[in-house]
Amino acid sequence: MRSPNHLQIKQLCRDSLPRLMEKQGLEAPLSVRMDETGWVNPCFFVNEKYAVRFNARDPQTPKFQREKVVYSLLRDRFPVPQEVILDESREFVPFDILITQLIPGRSVEADWPLLTSQERTAFARQAGQWITKLHQVRFNYFGELSERGPLPRTNTWFDYLKAKLDFHLKETEELKIFSVDETTRFKKAFIKFKPELDTVTEA
């Protein structure tokens, strides 16, 4: 959901680009094009070379920190940006900023209405193949990608999901969404699935 002052936020982010690019040792923004398809976080294409994104929607969540970890893990196996700059200083705006080198190509979403049925099928199949390859990447822990995240890294899938459930139930308690009895019932129902969850041994 957009914030009520999203237009002011976008302008603030746009105005910060010259100082940001200079700070990072990148060329001055001679051309700036806004990504009009984004609904939440401002994104600007600078000099048709970089995507500059601002985590304005959830500034307390380490979205870009997680993304940078993923790029480093996938760089040798997937077409991910080769240049990734994370600015957490909040020097020019009160948000984390991620600068990534643009990957050549076009948005499939934008061209989707123009594709034939056969082309759509081919794209969907290729997307499925990439997702399959993505799920073959293994970790030596379950849980949070970024060390700044609100959830832990655990040795088992069950422990991570339990921590995630407890985290969100605590949020519902603060918002008074469920009664104590309901929260207790949810926890008991989750525990019943431990044998099945324990069969997941690879992260």
Side-chain angles (χ1 to χ4, degrees):
M1 179 183 295
R2 288 177 171 177
S3 59
N5 62 334
H6 70 95
L7 292 178
Q8 292 93 326
I9 290 175
K10 288 178 180 178
Q11 190 60 51
L12 175 68
C13 294
R14 188 184 188 110
D15 291 344
S16 75
L17 290 174
R19 290 173 296 167
L20 175 67
M21 299 298 280
E22 181 181 13
K23 174 186 175 182
Q24 299 298 340
L26 302 174
E27 58 197 55
L30 301 178
S31 70
V32 177
R33 179 170 58 88
M34 186 165 194
D35 178 14
E36 299 295 345
T37 61
W39 282 82
V40 177
N41 291 320
C43 173
F44 301 91
F45 301 117
V46 177
N47 299 337
E48 297 302 323
K49 185 177 180 180
Y50 294 100
V52 183
R53 295 156 54 211
F54 298 78
N55 186 16
R57 173 62 176 84
D58 299 297
Q60 75 286 354
T61 303
K63 290 182 178 179
F64 293 159
Q65 288 79 0
R66 293 167 178 163
E67 195 168 318
K68 187 176 181 182
V69 170
V70 171
Y71 286 150
S72 65
L73 286 170
L74 303 183
R75 184 156 287 117
D76 296 333
R77 290 176 274 187
F78 290 82
V80 300
Q82 294 303 303
E83 190 171 354
V84 179
I85 300 170
L86 175 64
D87 189 318
E88 304 173 83
S89 68
R90 306 197 176 189
E91 182 178 355
F92 307 125
V93 291
F95 316 119
D96 292 340
I97 305 168
L98 192 68
I99 305 173
T100 54
Q101 193 170 18
L102 286 179
I103 299 174
R106 290 175 56 85
S107 166
V108 174
E109 182 180 9
D111 291 337
W112 193 256
L114 306 175
L115 301 179
T116 66
S117 175
Q118 292 80 2
E119 288 171 330
R120 292 181 182 183
T121 298
F123 270 116
R125 181 177 293 109
Q126 189 175 30
Q129 291 169 344
W130 280 114
I131 291 173
T132 298
K133 190 174 180 181
L134 184 64
H135 283 294
Q136 291 170 354
V137 177
R138 297 288 182 253
F139 295 86
N140 57 5
Y141 59 86
F142 291 92
E144 181 58 61
L145 290 175
S146 165
E147 294 180 358
R148 278 185 43 191
L151 294 169
R153 292 179 177 178
T154 65
N155 293 323
T156 70
W157 182 227
F158 174 83
D159 287 340
Y160 171 69
L161 289 183
K162 185 178 184 305
K164 187 173 178 68
L165 176 65
D166 291 341
F167 176 80
H168 290 302
L169 284 179
K170 187 175 184 300
E171 290 181 317
T172 65
E173 288 172 9
E174 294 169 356
L175 295 171
K176 302 187 185 325
I177 295 176
F178 301 120
S179 68
V180 174
D181 288 344
E182 287 172 323
T183 300
T184 300
R185 198 164 76 246
F186 297 152
K187 291 181 178 180
K188 287 182 178 179
F190 173 75
I191 294 295
K192 290 181 181 179
F193 286 94
K194 187 177 188 304
E196 288 82 0
L197 295 173
D198 282 341
T199 63
V200 179
T201 57
E202 288 187 303

